[in-house]
Amino acid sequence: MSSARRWTSAAFALTGAISAASLSSPASAAVFNGTAQGISHTFHSTSSNWSGYAATGRQFTSVSATWTQPAVSCGSQTTYSSFWVGLDGDGSNSVEQTGSEADCSGGRAVYSSWYEMYPKYPVNFSNPVSPGDVFHASVTYKGGGGFTLVLSDQTKGWSHTINATLNNPALASAEVIAEAPSSSSGVLPLANFGTARFSSSTANGSPLANFSPDKITMAGGSTTKAVPSSISGGTFSVAWKHS
């Protein structure tokens, strides 16, 4: 399993790769969502940065899901969380993904949304995001290296459709995930997002559960951070367990 990193603004300050002013989230001015870290392929795995479900074992050309934006509970610590759908990333070095973010910065909740063709830099959308917003997202492979990524805030009524390319995509997995961030020094504290509820999760046009997806618990050392429920059709939840 590769150990791709999800970067925070502090990491980008070291690299100077991108201007924080170009992105919309002050808590995580240049947050990356990366590939899964530390997954072993059982039907109930652990990862230091992912929690949710990932389908593998065949070629996947589409994934979609609906979720409600969680509200984060913030203390003094800076913490991060994101919620997304994507192709690849479980056993490959790229992920084609889009989703929303719920972070804490200086005791303040910060909400945002984005798309990413990892390992390229993410692109944040400027639209407002609030807890309770209902999101629908999809990633579809069109052939020839072309992808269409769609993210819609069904509560506020905005939507973005992105056409992007990636040479030789693996198309080896489809996932619906709650993720913790990482920097160059490792996985950073996960924001207390309570419970993220996903529904209508599909892969290749069928309910995600039809593919006997891997159930992934987020854990670091002996600490459990986020736990997925069982999945029924395309419905499951992920519960925060530890800050």
Side-chain angles (χ1 to χ4, degrees):
M1 179 62 62
S2 62
S3 57
R5 298 187 294 262
R6 181 167 166 245
W7 292 80
T8 67
S9 55
F12 267 101
L14 293 175
T15 64
I18 189 169
S19 168
S22 68
L23 297 177
S24 62
S25 171
S28 52
V31 169
F32 262 65
N33 294 277
T35 63
Q37 299 183 30
I39 284 184
S40 59
H41 281 289
T42 65
F43 289 103
H44 192 170
S45 301
T46 60
S47 168
S48 64
N49 64 326
W50 281 16
S51 185
Y53 283 87
T56 60
R58 66 184 68 191
Q59 184 181 78
F60 290 94
T61 56
S62 68
V63 63
S64 66
T66 298
W67 68 91
T68 301
Q69 176 74 2
V72 287
S73 178
C74 296
S76 60
Q77 191 177 27
T78 298
T79 54
Y80 307 84
S81 61
S82 62
F83 315 93
W84 53 267
V85 305
L87 297 174
D88 295 325
D90 185 351
S92 61
N93 291 322
S94 63
V95 197
E96 305 83 41
Q97 52 189 169
T98 187
S100 63
E101 189 89 9
D103 303 329
C104 293
S105 176
R108 182 172 64 95
V110 182
Y111 301 99
S112 58
S113 60
W114 48 271
Y115 80 91
E116 185 177 353
M117 299 290 288
Y118 183 87
K120 292 181 179 179
Y121 300 146
V123 177
N124 281 33
F125 299 121
S126 62
N127 306 80
V129 175
S130 303
D133 286 2
V134 176
F135 279 94
H136 181 75
S138 64
V139 177
T140 304
Y141 182 62
K142 302 181 296 181
F147 290 85
T148 298
L149 302 89
V150 180
L151 183 68
S152 300
D153 185 328
Q154 298 181 333
T155 302
K156 289 191 167 62
W158 59 259
S159 181
H160 291 280
T161 299
I162 303 299
N163 293 302
T165 59
L166 178 72
N167 291 330
N168 301 314
L171 305 178
S173 63
E175 49 271 334
V176 180
I177 295 293
E179 184 173 351
S182 297
S183 70
S184 57
S185 59
V187 177
L188 295 175
L190 177 68
N192 179 357
F193 59 82
T195 301
R197 294 178 172 85
F198 297 93
S199 63
S200 304
S201 303
T202 69
N204 290 354
S206 297
L208 188 61
N210 289 5
F211 299 92
S212 299
D214 194 9
K215 183 180 183 181
I216 305 167
T217 294
M218 191 189 307
S222 60
T223 301
T224 299
K225 299 178 180 180
V227 179
S229 69
S230 59
I231 187 170
S232 176
T235 300
F236 69 95
S237 60
V238 176
W240 175 91
K241 292 295 183 182
H242 184 75
S243 62

